[in-house]
Structure formats: C-alpha cells, structure tokens
Amino acid sequence: IHGLWPDKEGTLLQYCKPKPTFQWIKDQMLDDLDKNWIQLKYTQSYGRDKQPLWKYEYLKHGSCCQKVINQNTYFSLALRLKDRFDLLRTLQIHRIVPGSSYTFKEIFDAIKTVTQTDPDVKCKKEAPELYEIGICLN
C-alpha cells in the first residue's frame, strides 16, 4: 500500500482542515499495518514506535475524509481494499512476475480483471519498470 487518497471530482485532496490529531496505532491494527502497509524507509522497530509514514499519510490524505470516517476506519478501509484487489496475486495469475518484461497493455488488462475499471498504471521513465498502480473507487 502506498496510500488511500480521497479526491473530489478528479482533484486530489491534501492537508484538509481542521488538522486532525493523529492517534497512535496499537494492537491488531498495528500488526496489520506493519505487515501490509510497510514503512520501507525505516527499521521495523522505529516504524512501529514512531509511525512516521502512517502519521504522514493520515494527516495529508486521511484529513480530507475525517468528516466521513475516523482514523481507524481510514486505515481499516485501506487494508480491506488491499485484500479486495490483491494486485500481486492478480499479476501472478496472469503470469506477470518480477524479472521479466511485459507490455503496458498486459499489465493494464491483468489489473482490470479485478478492478473492473481502468487502472492508473505508471512506469519509471529512467528504467523500464512498473512503478505504481492506482485504482479509483467511489
């Protein structure tokens, strides 16, 4: 998971007011996020203790849906969506695996089988590799 980003009619929302207070994540939610929304820039112990990525993502993006859902629901929703659209498994089913080359269309079509909508597939310009897959939901 990179993030869960609310938008309004195609406009990405960020740092919405009022600025929410980040509540430290504990218990099962902490374990679930640690396993599924990995804080790659930090050691596991630092990430679990200080929670820098999750705090950043919630204050930047979760703040824009705080009137509809609370912090716990924001993270729970991200985890449920990850499981619902298991993109790594989907790519494996379509025989798309790391270390080989595929066309944009092959990746696009594989992801679309589970999203039922056009995914936002991004590749790195510097190197021919898959960088990000975005899914728009409403």
Side-chain angles (χ1 to χ4, degrees):
I1 298 174
H2 178 167
L4 177 61
W5 306 329
D7 74 12
K8 184 176 183 180
E9 299 174 9
T11 302
L12 184 62
L13 303 173
Q14 304 181 106
Y15 299 110
C16 296
K17 303 264 189 254
K19 181 180 177 181
T21 301
F22 179 78
Q23 303 294 319
W24 296 110
I25 299 164
K26 303 176 203 166
D27 305 322
Q28 186 62 47
M29 178 66 72
L30 178 61
D31 293 339
D32 292 344
L33 287 174
D34 194 40
K35 179 181 174 189
N36 295 289
W37 195 336
I38 301 168
Q39 302 180 87
L40 295 172
K41 291 184 178 181
Y42 311 100
T43 65
Q44 185 178 29
S45 60
Y46 181 85
R48 288 177 68 94
D49 185 45
K50 303 296 182 188
Q51 306 179 4
L53 175 63
W54 306 323
K55 181 177 181 180
Y56 171 80
E57 287 294 323
Y58 183 70
L59 295 178
K60 183 173 183 181
H61 301 293
S63 63
C64 299
C65 56
Q66 65 182 316
K67 293 178 183 171
V68 180
I69 59 175
N70 65 27
Q71 177 182 312
N72 191 57
T73 303
Y74 171 81
F75 286 112
S76 294
L77 177 59
L79 293 170
R80 282 197 319 271
L81 290 171
K82 179 207 174 278
D83 289 342
R84 179 176 167 197
F85 300 106
D86 187 344
L87 300 183
L88 291 176
R89 181 75 183 126
T90 298
L91 292 172
Q92 289 173 339
I93 288 168
H94 288 87
R95 294 184 168 79
I96 298 172
V97 295
S100 298
S101 296
Y102 305 94
T103 66
F104 178 88
K105 183 172 176 15
E106 288 172 316
I107 295 169
F108 182 94
D109 290 346
I111 299 301
K112 191 170 179 177
T113 64
V114 293
T115 62
Q116 304 303 310
T117 187
D118 292 349
D120 182 18
V121 177
K122 295 179 182 169
C123 299
K124 283 193 167 200
K125 291 185 179 184
E126 319 76 63
E129 62 185 37
L130 180 60
Y131 178 70
E132 181 177 271
I133 301 170
I135 303 170
C136 185
L137 306 165
N138 56 12

